[in-house]
Amino acid sequence: MGKYINICNVYVFLWCIFRLKGWLYQGDQISTISYIIIMLISLYYAIICYKDYRYQPVIKSYNILIVFFSIYGIINILFFEDLNKIGHVIPTDFFLQNILRSMLPFYAFYAFTKKGYITQKWLCYVAIIVLFISVPRYFIEQRKMMQLMLAKGLLNVDEVTNNAGYLFSALLPLFCFWNKKPLVQYAGFLICIFFMLSGMKRGAILVGGLSLFFIFFSVFRTSNTKSKIVFLILTIICIFLSYKYFSYMEDSSAYFMQRLEDTKEGNTSSRSVLYEDFWNMFWNNSNPFSLLFGLGADATIRYGKNYAHNDWLEIAVDHGMIGITVFFVFWKRMLHFWRTTRKYPVIYVALGACVIQLFAKTFFSMSINDMEFYTVLVLGYCVAIVTKPQLIVKQEIKQKY
């Protein structure tokens, strides 16, 4: 029993408890306690691991990015007031909390990997656990959306767009570590595809589809002849079953067909209007200081109708040219780091699936401030493994599929 009770397992357990609010328990007390402990552990390891930027440039860029955003978040708390948008209150600490909750866990998972707590086998178990907790989260989100529609007076709503589709697209990189048991791996892929399609969230389907294409292509390219046949058969089965479910949704769901028609007609859920408004807000800004440093955290929602739903525009308005430069350098180093992992195929595929999703989301959604804990788990693990190559040998990570 003792070997299962360690700081890493407790940390992940707390994340699971925190994320199961509304299903496992009601009220804020348990989730608040879990969240505080999670953040304290994350902050501790952020302080411990901060100096590791000397060994890995991508950590340096990550450090700069989180400090940069945190400064804006603190300024927002000190000098601005809560926002009230159509009866919905956005507190001044909302921006900072999102950044810290999304980015800080990277350091904990990075440290746990270096200490030997996180292994490829451990990641396989966590993939199954996260899958199990994502299913109730999906239905909790669906219920919330239905209640929101009812509150707006829409009484005959049977189907809604479920943002929880992103939970399952984010799960795909974790199942890359099941490469030694392809049947389990592809079963995980299929379950994720089922919920992505059921959620009808076009962004989740897009980033999930892109990462799956990359996974299938990379696995087939790097595997030996015997494995190629197995993966080819499983990929064909996976694509066939996905197509059959897609066809079923077309035939049985009027809302799904509406979403398809909207996509064909270029209906971007008013994003094109937001993009134009925020581009003009940024580009036509006559104040040199605001152009350089932005209008402050949450400026898009403060001065506009909604968030930009595009990280580059969001950062341009909120943080100015300085913010865009910091964000660009981060992604430049992250993409370069990913390319250096080619000699570790399993790491390369898992990290690639993760990076592709996050980078794609920067153009139509929120990425860096809305990462699931298991997304930064993959990032932290991969960075630690590559930074400390002896872990590759110690963990006996399979070099080929």
Side-chain angles (χ1 to χ4, degrees):
M1 178 65 72
K3 69 177 181 178
Y4 298 112
I5 302 177
N6 57 58
I7 185 64
C8 178
N9 290 344
V10 169
Y11 185 74
V12 172
F13 175 76
L14 288 170
W15 266 114
C16 294
I17 294 296
F18 175 69
R19 287 305 190 187
L20 284 175
K21 176 186 174 182
W23 181 73
L24 190 63
Y25 60 92
Q26 303 296 327
D28 295 330
Q29 187 174 3
I30 295 176
S31 64
T32 301
I33 293 172
S34 301
Y35 177 71
I36 291 173
I37 298 173
I38 287 168
M39 287 297 101
L40 288 174
I41 294 173
S42 301
L43 183 60
Y44 170 78
Y45 283 107
I47 296 170
I48 295 295
C49 300
Y50 184 82
K51 292 183 179 179
D52 277 22
Y53 71 84
R54 294 173 294 183
Y55 313 115
Q56 188 53 255
V58 74
I59 297 178
K60 182 177 182 179
S61 289
Y62 198 91
N63 291 346
I64 293 171
L65 194 64
I66 194 170
V67 169
F68 180 79
F69 284 146
S70 295
I71 291 172
Y72 274 78
I74 293 169
I75 292 173
N76 198 47
I77 293 171
L78 295 176
F79 300 104
F80 291 89
E81 297 180 354
D82 293 348
L83 296 171
N84 193 320
K85 286 286 181 176
I86 319 176
H88 180 64
V89 177
I90 302 173
T92 55
D93 65 348
F94 184 71
F95 177 88
L96 182 62
Q97 284 208 47
N98 276 349
I99 287 297
L100 296 182
R101 183 173 60 244
S102 178
M103 298 186 69
L104 267 188
F106 166 85
Y107 298 101
F109 291 124
Y110 171 82
F112 295 152
T113 303
K114 289 179 65 178
K115 289 176 178 290
Y117 291 130
I118 299 179
T119 63
Q120 183 173 353
K121 184 178 180 180
W122 185 91
L123 288 169
C124 291
Y125 293 143
V126 169
I128 302 299
I129 292 170
V130 172
L131 180 61
F132 273 106
I133 71 167
S134 296
V135 173
R137 288 183 67 192
Y138 175 91
F139 290 107
I140 291 169
E141 182 66 22
Q142 186 176 56
R143 185 179 64 199
K144 285 168 57 179
M145 292 302 299
M146 295 291 285
Q147 290 172 345
L148 182 62
M149 294 295 104
L150 290 172
K152 290 181 177 180
L154 302 173
L155 302 178
N156 297 318
V157 178
D158 297 320
E159 298 174 298
V160 292
T161 302
N162 194 333
N163 291 331
Y166 278 119
L167 301 179
F168 294 91
S169 61
L171 249 173
L172 296 171
L174 260 183
F175 275 98
C176 293
F177 295 105
W178 274 101
N179 61 299
K180 297 177 183 178
K181 294 187 178 179
L183 286 177
V184 177
Q185 183 180 62
Y186 275 74
F189 289 158
L190 278 171
I191 294 171
C192 291
I193 292 169
F194 170 82
F195 282 102
M196 285 189 295
L197 290 175
S198 298
M200 292 181 272
K201 185 69 176 177
R202 290 175 293 183
I205 295 171
L206 175 62
V207 298
L210 287 173
S211 58
L212 277 171
F213 177 81
F214 167 76
I215 291 167
F216 293 157
F217 175 79
S218 299
V219 167
F220 186 77
R221 183 176 59 85
T222 60
S223 57
N224 57 44
T225 304
K226 183 179 177 181
S227 298
K228 271 185 171 65
I229 297 172
V230 174
F231 283 115
L232 180 61
I233 293 171
L234 289 174
T235 300
I236 291 172
I237 292 172
C238 187
I239 293 173
F240 174 76
L241 292 176
S242 301
Y243 170 76
K244 294 296 288 184
Y245 185 62
F246 183 88
S247 300
Y248 168 77
M249 292 289 287
E250 278 187 311
D251 295 336
S252 62
S253 172
Y255 186 63
F256 187 79
M257 284 301 298
Q258 179 190 325
R259 298 287 287 174
L260 283 179
E261 289 301 320
D262 288 343
T263 304
K264 291 176 184 177
E265 294 171 6
N267 185 336
T268 57
S269 302
S270 301
R271 276 176 169 77
S272 55
V273 176
L274 289 173
Y275 295 162
E276 183 178 357
D277 289 347
F278 287 129
W279 172 253
N280 290 332
M281 185 184 294
F282 165 69
W283 193 248
N284 296 329
N285 192 334
S286 58
N287 186 325
F289 184 85
S290 296
L291 184 65
L292 192 61
F293 295 100
L295 299 171
D298 283 340
T300 51
I301 196 71
R302 182 178 296 109
Y303 303 116
K305 298 176 182 177
N306 202 339
Y307 290 108
H309 289 80
N310 177 302
D311 278 347
W312 301 95
L313 274 177
E314 186 83 33
I315 291 170
V317 173
D318 290 4
H319 313 289
M321 293 297 296
I322 297 294
I324 287 291
T325 302
V326 171
F327 197 56
F328 174 80
V329 171
F330 165 76
W331 274 111
K332 182 175 179 293
R333 285 184 172 169
M334 176 59 76
L335 293 170
H336 174 74
F337 172 76
W338 172 38
R339 288 196 299 270
T340 64
T341 65
R342 283 183 180 273
K343 55 186 175 181
Y344 313 120
V346 179
I347 301 295
Y348 176 75
V349 174
L351 180 61
C354 193
V355 167
I356 286 169
Q357 288 195 31
L358 289 175
F359 188 67
K361 284 178 69 178
T362 65
F363 296 102
F364 57 82
S365 188
M366 292 85 163
S367 63
I368 208 71
N369 66 336
D370 192 32
M371 294 187 289
E372 287 293 328
F373 77 89
Y374 44 92
T375 298
V376 282
L377 164 59
V378 174
L379 292 178
Y381 173 80
C382 292
V383 172
I385 287 289
V386 176
T387 305
K388 195 175 180 181
Q390 55 265 42
L391 290 171
I392 294 284
V393 178
K394 186 176 179 180
Q395 295 187 20
E396 297 181 346
I397 293 178
K398 195 174 181 181
Q399 294 300 301
K400 289 191 177 292
Y401 279 88

